[in-house]
Amino acid sequence: MRFNSLQTLPGKPLRLDWVGVVFFTTVHAVALLSPWFFSWSALGIAVFLHWLFGSIGVCLGYHRLLSHRSFKVPRWLEYAIAILGALSLQGGPIFWVAGHRLHHAHTEDEYKDPYSARRGFWWSHILWILYPRAEFFEYERYQRFAPDLARDPFYRWLNRYFLALQIPVGLLLYALGGWSFVIYGMFLRCVILWHTTWFINSVTHLWGYRSFDSNDNSRNLWWAAILTYGEGWHNNHHAYPHVAKCGWRWWEIDMTWWAIRLLKTVGLAKDVNLPPAV
């Protein structure tokens, strides 16, 4: 049976979120102005913030620390890393973690996985956001899938006000380098980070090689791993989701793991889950 990606349940079409369409279109449009505001320092800011908010905030923080608890850090450091994740503009921590845990619990299920790859590339890449389903986007419904975070007043606050954190970032960037820094450090960085993160939902369930016979179509894809600081070794991750290291072979580069290993070396990370002998 052919599956229609714009059905939430048989016979119940999804509705396009026009506020989301306008928001994402606007951010992409402003990012397209970047050639007219180019400077090497602005490009450097974009690259640095892509790493800081992407690798440390999302990959290390939202994903490996909060979603899977693959290692532990002091609470003050956990909160600081979660703020970096919130600055990525990919949603609050409770929203992100709940959705990702559902993805692992029901991988590629057309109805239970928020960004099921079986609905097609564009659904898993972005349409799941533009056609939001209430069970994944309404706080009272999704928070029960991240109860450990929902019980914490700090995470509830961050989940509600993550968008407002962009204001001080924008003001700081403008003070440091004017509109060039704002366009590169916020808009261009945000667009690139969105799509590189979304590639893990889409392309790594379509293309690449499989090291493990996991119960899904997850794949290891080298170029996605480079763009996402190691997250592209997705078949490894789906086979052992609670392992802190996604790149297992010597040539599977995992920059996020390097950061976790550094934290462990200086005594800030403990109980780090390592790959089993396989």
Side-chain angles (χ1 to χ4, degrees):
M1 180 180 71
R2 184 179 179 183
F3 185 78
N4 183 352
S5 66
L6 298 186
Q7 287 182 340
T8 180
L9 292 172
K12 293 184 178 182
L14 293 165
R15 293 185 178 182
L16 184 63
D17 177 13
W18 284 104
V19 173
V21 170
V22 171
F23 173 75
F24 285 106
T25 300
T26 301
V27 175
H28 280 73
V30 175
L32 291 175
L33 298 175
S34 56
W36 289 272
F37 290 85
F38 175 81
S39 71
W40 287 110
S41 56
L43 180 60
I45 285 291
V47 172
F48 172 72
L49 293 182
H50 186 281
W51 167 78
L52 184 64
F53 298 160
S55 180
I56 305 304
V58 174
C59 303
L60 186 152
Y62 272 13
H63 187 207
R64 304 189 200 188
L65 177 60
L66 297 183
S67 295
H68 295 293
R69 297 295 182 184
S70 61
F71 62 100
K72 297 177 181 177
V73 296
R75 185 55 59 92
W76 66 266
L77 182 56
E78 178 179 311
Y79 286 168
I81 294 172
I83 290 173
L84 294 178
L87 288 170
S88 71
L89 207 58
Q90 295 186 18
I94 302 175
F95 164 79
W96 204 102
V97 168
H100 190 71
R101 288 177 179 174
L102 279 168
H103 169 66
H104 275 273
H106 308 286
T107 306
E108 297 171 1
D109 183 280
E110 294 94 334
Y111 302 115
K112 297 178 181 179
D113 181 349
Y115 28 86
S116 172
R118 290 186 63 186
R119 291 188 170 205
F121 172 86
W122 287 111
W123 175 266
S124 58
H125 194 74
I126 189 173
L127 289 180
W128 71 278
I129 300 172
L130 300 182
Y131 287 89
R133 293 171 55 187
E135 57 266 44
F136 305 138
F137 282 82
E138 291 183 359
Y139 177 80
E140 293 303 323
R141 301 181 70 172
Y142 70 70
Q143 58 89 22
R144 58 196 176 102
F145 299 107
D148 50 331
L149 302 187
R151 287 192 296 265
D152 191 316
F154 172 77
Y155 284 122
R156 292 198 300 271
W157 174 86
L158 190 59
N159 198 72
R160 177 175 295 182
Y161 297 110
F162 74 94
L163 188 60
L165 297 181
Q166 297 297 315
I167 297 174
V169 172
L171 292 175
L172 178 61
L173 288 172
Y174 184 79
L176 292 174
W179 287 113
S180 177
F181 273 34
V182 173
I183 290 174
Y184 274 79
M186 291 192 68
F187 291 89
L188 182 62
R189 177 271 306 168
C190 197
V191 167
I192 295 174
L193 184 53
W194 279 341
H195 287 283
T196 52
T197 301
W198 297 340
F199 277 147
I200 303 305
N201 301 338
S202 55
V203 298
T204 59
H205 282 266
L206 296 174
W207 303 302
Y209 66 90
R210 291 169 59 83
S211 297
F212 299 99
D213 189 20
S214 58
N215 215 6
D216 51 58
N217 197 41
S218 59
R219 306 276 171 159
N220 293 325
L221 190 58
W222 68 269
W223 60 264
I226 292 174
L227 292 175
T228 58
Y229 308 100
E231 300 293 278
W233 310 119
H234 206 51
N235 176 245
N236 297 347
H237 174 62
H238 267 267
Y240 294 91
H242 297 292
V243 168
K245 186 178 183 181
C246 288
W248 288 28
R249 301 176 182 178
W250 68 266
W251 47 266
E252 291 178 341
I253 297 174
D254 185 353
M255 290 181 63
T256 302
W257 164 248
W258 299 349
I260 297 172
R261 187 171 59 185
L262 177 61
L263 290 175
K264 181 181 179 182
T265 300
V266 300
L268 288 174
K270 63 180 182 179
D271 297 338
V272 179
N273 293 333
L274 298 174
V278 294

